[in-house]
Amino acid sequence: MRGGRARLAVLVSGRGTNLQAILDATRAADYPAEVVVVVSDRPGAYALERARQAGVPAHVVPWSRDPADFGRRLAEVLDAHQAQWVCLAGFLRILPPEFVQRYRGRILNIHPSLLPAFGGRGMYGERVHQAVLASGAVESGCTVHFVTEDVDAGPVVAQARVPVLPDDTVETLAARVAEQEHRLYPEAIRRVVTGQVRFDDLAAAEQLAR
Ligand code: GRF
């Protein structure tokens, strides 16, 4: 690929199974991206350990009361590693608008539902699966989307569907969705970094559909 592999920063807050799926994908010689830095807002995140085990620089940038300040400190770390793309993988903070604008069209997130259903502020982790079960939906899944200033509402890159079974608990549904997340995220990253899917095209199509 011209210019080498795309340089990814992965932002995490927790256990990092999606980070692991991305790291595993990058081991294939023909995968078009590499993880150049992992950043957590929480020092205890197990995802940091996964980064270290894979030989990838791992940094903690503690959350700040001033989100713009957090955004600036985060951008400094990303710049130091010449990151081109930002992948949120279980990152639990809402990025400040200045940061989102600076990386416009270059930030991806994965969400454990079929957006726009069961998304938005406060909809993360188990709460998503609880809400899906409570709604009586017969289907759920996961979504990779571009990050914009509107939480969980940026253009959709890819989705995967799973059935919701009658005897499902939050745990069984979460596990079924997670399996799809780990397949979907590396594939969505591939499509975006190779230019098969472009933010501007998706944003323009959504504008037309409105
Ligand atoms: C995933 O369900 C993801 O969709 C959501 O947070 C969870 C992160 O899990 N954004 P992990 O830290 O990647 O294991």
Side-chain angles (χ1 to χ4, degrees):
M1 218 174 72
R2 190 157 43 116
R5 305 213 279 174
R7 299 175 66 82
L8 312 178
V10 182
L11 308 193
V12 296
S13 300
R15 60 185 183 154
T17 63
N18 280 285
L19 166 66
Q20 191 65 56
I22 296 167
L23 289 169
D24 291 349
T26 63
R27 291 221 300 263
D30 63 351
Y31 192 75
E34 63 183 317
V35 180
V36 295
V37 64
V38 170
V39 181
S40 173
D41 61 314
R42 295 184 180 179
Y46 183 67
L48 291 165
E49 183 57 31
R50 295 180 190 270
R52 291 184 196 113
Q53 277 171 19
V56 171
H59 292 262
V60 176
V61 177
W63 183 246
S64 150
R65 273 205 215 160
D66 173 5
D69 171 59
F70 174 83
R72 282 190 293 272
R73 286 181 291 121
L74 178 60
E76 273 172 27
V77 174
L78 269 44
D79 283 351
H81 293 276
Q82 295 170 292
Q84 299 164 309
W85 299 89
V86 182
C87 301
L88 313 188
F91 180 70
L92 293 177
R93 304 290 183 176
I94 294 170
L95 290 167
E98 301 83 357
F99 184 93
V100 173
Q101 276 148 24
R102 182 171 170 192
Y103 289 89
R104 185 176 176 277
R106 293 186 288 138
I107 312 176
L108 293 174
N109 181 42
I110 186 153
H111 184 83
S113 76
L114 295 172
L115 291 174
F118 306 105
R121 276 176 200 264
M123 266 296 180
Y124 58 85
E126 292 195 346
R127 294 189 196 187
V128 177
H129 304 299
Q130 260 157 12
V132 170
L133 291 176
S135 76
V138 294
E139 193 177 52
S140 190
C142 51
T143 304
V144 176
H145 65 94
F146 283 107
V147 171
T148 60
E149 282 95 327
D150 303 323
V151 177
D152 292 337
V156 170
V157 175
Q159 290 186 313
R161 292 166 185 278
V162 302
V164 177
L165 303 179
D167 57 352
D168 261 338
T169 61
V170 166
E171 289 72 29
T172 58
L173 179 57
R176 193 174 310 118
V177 171
E179 201 182 319
Q180 291 305 312
E181 291 188 35
H182 302 156
R183 190 187 57 75
L184 189 71
Y185 210 178
E187 178 52 30
I189 292 169
R190 175 200 292 277
R191 288 185 207 163
V192 168
V193 303
T194 56
Q196 284 175 59
V197 175
R198 291 174 199 273
F199 175 78
D200 287 337
D201 297 344
L202 295 179
E206 284 191 7
Q207 206 62 38
L208 280 178
R210 251 175 227 155

